[in-house]
Amino acid sequence: MAVESKLLSGNEAVAQGAWEAGCLIGAGYPGTPSTEALEAFAKYDDVYAEWAPNEKVAFEVASGASMGGVRALVTMKHVGVNVAADPLYSMSYIGVNGGLVLFAADDPGIFSSQNEQDTRFHALGARVPLLEPADPAEAKFYVKQAFAISERFDTPVIVRSTVRLSHTKAVVECEDRADQPRKEYEKSPVKWVMMPANAKVRRKFVDARVEELAEFNNASVFVRADYRDTSIGVICAGVTYNHVREALPEASVLKLGMTYPIPDQAILDFASRVDKVYVVEEASNYLSMQVKALGVQLSEFVEPIPPDDELSPGIVRRAFGIETPEFDRFDGALPPRPPALCAGCPHRLVYSELRRMNAVVNGDIGCYTLGALAPLSSVDSVVDMGASLSMAHGMELARRFSDKSIAIDGRPIVGVIGDSTFAHSGITSLLGTVYNQGSGTLCILDNRTTAMTGMQGNPVNGITLQNRPSRELDLVKLCEALGVEDVQRVDSQNLAEVRAALKRAVASDGLSVIVFCSPCRLLVRTRKEPPTISDCKRCGACLKIGCPALGTDDEGCAKIDEMQCIGCGQCAQVCPFGCISSEGRE
Ligand SMILES: Cc1ncc(C[n+]2csc(CCOP(=O)(O)OP(=O)(O)O)c2C)c(N)n1
C-alpha cells in the first residue's frame, strides 16, 4: 500500500479519510468551520459531490445513497445538524445499507455562528455513535473507522470536529483508496418505512445497538488510558486532549475517541486507578454529565473552567491552580478590525435606504447580517437561516391583531434574506406568508453567490460543486409561482431604483417581494477609478453608508482610501450636494 505524507487541515483529512474508505457520494451545505471538508472531497476524481440547498436535503441525499448500497458522507456545521435533525433521528432507527457518516463541525468560542452548540447532544438524542478526533491524522483514521462502524452496527455515525481541528494543518499519512463493492438493496419495509408499527420494532433495535456499541467502545481503539502521576486523572476527548497534554504533561489522561455511547467500563476502571478524577471539556457539560451518571465522583477545579468559549492550555492550567500567563491565549494589543460589508458590496444601499425609511428589519444569516452594525444599524433581528420573512410575518400579525397601538405602528415591516439563504429555507417562509395572506416586504439580496462562507455555488446561480451543468433559478418567476402578486427586480447598485422600489413596496397593503440583483464584489474583481471629491460640505451623508473606503481628513471632509475603493459609485449617489463625482472614470 502506497503511503504518502501530506499536510492536511482537519477538514481536508476528513475528505481524505472518506475517499480512502471508498466513499462514493458526498453531500452537504456550507457553514464555517465545516465547509472545506466537502470542497476537498469534491476534488477527488472518482467521487460525486454536491451542495444541497440545505442540510436536511443533504442528509436525505446521503441517506438515499446509503440505501442504494454505497458509502456516503454528509457535511455541515453544528447549527446545520438542527436542520438535518429530522432525518437524522429517523435514520438512526432505520440504519444504513452503505456506510453513512455525518461530519459536523462545532464552533466553540462563536467565531462565525449564531450560537455555541454541542453536536454531541444530538448523538445522545438520536442515539447514534459519535467520534471525536483530536488532530488531522486522527480525523482521517476516525472517518474510515466511522464507515466501518456504520455498516457493522447498522447506524449513521457522526464525526464531530471543532474549529481548531477543522482549520489546523498537520502531517497526515495518506493511503490508497479501498473501493467498496456496491451492496444490494433489498426491499424491507420494516427497516426502511418508518410508520408507527415498524418504528416500534426499530426502537428496540436502537436500544440494543446502543448497548452493543458501548461494549464495543470499551475495548476499542477509541479508548486510550495513559497512566503517569496517578494523583490526577483527567478524562477528555477530541481537541481538548491536546490542551490537557500541553497544560498537564504529568497527569494521567483517559482520552476518549467515541463519546456516544461512552465506554462505561473503561471510565470506571480509569477512575478506580487515579486519586482524583476531573473531566476537562470545552463550552459544554456533555461529558461530565455522562461520567457523573456512572457514579464517578468528580473533583472540583481550583478555578472553574468557564462554561462557554474556547479552551486553551492556560485555562486548563488555571483550573488546576497553576498560574502561567505564557500559556494564555494571545491577548496583545492588536488593532480591532470589526467586520464590515466590503467596499462596493451590493447589499449596502438597500440597508442605507431601509434605515432612512425607519423600517423594522428582520434580517437573516449571511454577509448581509452586517447591516446590523453601525453606521447602517438597520437590522432588528437575526435568528436562524430563513427566519427573516417568517419573523416579519409574525410581527405583522402582532400588529394586526393587537388591540392597542404598539411601537412598530406606522413603520414598514421588512424581511431581508440572501439568495443562498432564500433557497435554504426562505422559500417555505414565503409560501407560508402567501398562504396565510400576510403582508409586508421581502427583500431578496441576490449577489449571485453564497458569499459569507466563501463563494459557493447555489441553486440561484446554478453553479454546482463539481462544475456539472445545471440551471439558474429565476427568483421572480419562482415568487410569482408561489402566488406573490407584486414582485420587482431591481439593480441594487442603483440608488434611485432601490429607493423607488422600496417606496412602492412598503406603500402596498399586500405582500411585496423585491429581488435586488448585483454580483458580490469578490466575484467580479474589476475596479474603476475612485471618484473625485470637491468642495465637500462635511454633511457626513456618505459616511452613513459605512463603506470601509470612506473616511475624513483632518478638516472633516470626506476622503477616499484609494487602496480599498473599487469605484462602485455608491458614495457619489448618496452625496446630497453632488460633491462626489464618478463622471469620466474608467
Ligand atoms: C443552518 C445553517 N447552515 C449554514 C450556516 C452557515 N452560513 C451562514 S451565512 C450562509 C450563507 C449566506 O449566503 P447568502 O444567503 O447568499 O448571503 P451572502 O453571504 O452571499 O450575502 C451560510 C451557509 C448557518 N449559519 N446556519
Side-chain angles (χ1 to χ4, degrees), residues 29-31 55 77 79-80 83 114 347 365-368 385 418-421 424 447 449-453:
Y29 184 71
E55 294 85 353
K77 69 182 290 172
V79 279
V83 179
Q114 58 267 44
H347 301 333
I365 304 191
C367 286
Y368 52 92
M385 291 192 78
D419 50 333
S420 185
T421 309
H424 180 282
N447 63 352
T449 189
T450 315
M452 181 98 178
T453 44

Side-chain angles (χ1 to χ4, degrees), residues 231-445:
S231 62
I232 292 180
V234 180
I235 303 174
C236 57
V239 165
T240 302
Y241 169 74
N242 303 316
H243 298 320
V244 169
R245 286 292 291 125
E246 191 175 338
L248 307 167
E250 300 307 325
S252 296
V253 176
L254 178 66
K255 175 184 181 298
L256 303 182
M258 185 194 280
T259 49
Y260 187 80
I262 52 163
D264 46 2
Q265 286 311 320
I267 291 172
L268 291 171
D269 185 42
F270 179 78
S272 71
R273 293 173 63 178
V274 293
D275 300 341
K276 288 182 168 183
V277 185
Y278 300 85
V279 172
V280 174
E281 59 186 326
E282 190 170 49
S284 183
N285 60 354
Y286 168 83
L287 201 53
S288 53
M289 264 171 50
Q290 305 240 40
V291 174
K292 276 190 213 162
L294 295 175
V296 175
Q297 177 75 38
L298 293 184
S299 294
E300 297 278 316
F301 293 113
V302 176
E303 187 176 314
I305 291 181
D308 61 337
D309 211 348
E310 250 202 330
L311 211 55
S312 69
I315 294 174
V316 178
R317 280 174 77 83
R318 261 200 307 282
F320 286 86
I322 318 168
E323 279 297 336
T324 35
E326 69 272 22
F327 275 79
D328 279 325
R329 222 157 57 180
F330 177 69
D331 211 8
L334 286 173
R337 287 182 300 162
L341 296 175
C342 303
C345 174
H347 301 333
R348 180 170 285 109
L349 292 180
V350 176
Y351 280 127
S352 69
E353 276 311 291
L354 288 170
R355 184 197 51 212
R356 214 178 58 83
M357 297 164 77
N358 195 25
V360 184
V361 177
N362 288 284
D364 225 301
I365 304 191
C367 286
Y368 52 92
T369 305
L370 298 174
L373 301 180
L376 291 167
S377 309
S378 43
V379 174
D380 289 80
S381 76
V382 172
V383 181
D384 68 313
M385 291 192 78
S388 50
L389 182 61
S390 357
M391 293 278 290
H393 174 52
M395 214 173 190
E396 206 273 320
L397 293 177
R399 179 159 72 182
R400 204 186 320 160
F401 290 103
S402 58
D403 46 10
K404 294 203 189 93
S405 69
I406 51 177
I408 49 173
D409 281 351
R411 296 175 63 187
I413 297 183
V414 175
V416 177
I417 192 166
D419 50 333
S420 185
T421 309
F422 183 65
H424 180 282
S425 42
I427 297 173
T428 41
S429 299
L430 180 57
L431 190 57
T433 307
V434 172
Y435 167 49
N436 292 299
Q437 301 271 293
S439 55
T441 300
L442 178 66
C443 302
I444 305 176
L445 306 185

Side-chain angles (χ1 to χ4, degrees), residues 102-179:
L102 163 59
F103 171 65
D106 291 3
D107 185 11
I110 321 186
F111 293 97
S112 51
S113 306
Q114 58 267 44
N115 70 13
E116 186 176 66
Q117 175 186 301
D118 186 342
T119 292
R120 297 177 298 180
F121 285 107
H122 272 303
L124 184 75
R127 312 191 73 205
V128 297
L130 181 137
L131 307 182
E132 284 193 70
D135 56 42
E138 223 171 57
K140 191 204 83 164
F141 175 64
Y142 279 20
V143 167
K144 289 172 84 170
Q145 292 291 314
F147 278 107
I149 293 169
S150 172
E151 287 170 2
R152 175 169 161 197
F153 292 92
D154 195 10
T155 177
V157 177
I158 302 178
V159 176
R160 178 213 188 214
S161 170
T162 56
V163 67
R164 286 299 139 194
L165 169 61
S166 282
H167 290 167
T168 297
K169 289 204 172 198
V171 174
V172 179
E173 305 280 287
C174 299
E175 293 152 88
D176 292 337
R177 176 169 167 90
D179 282 319

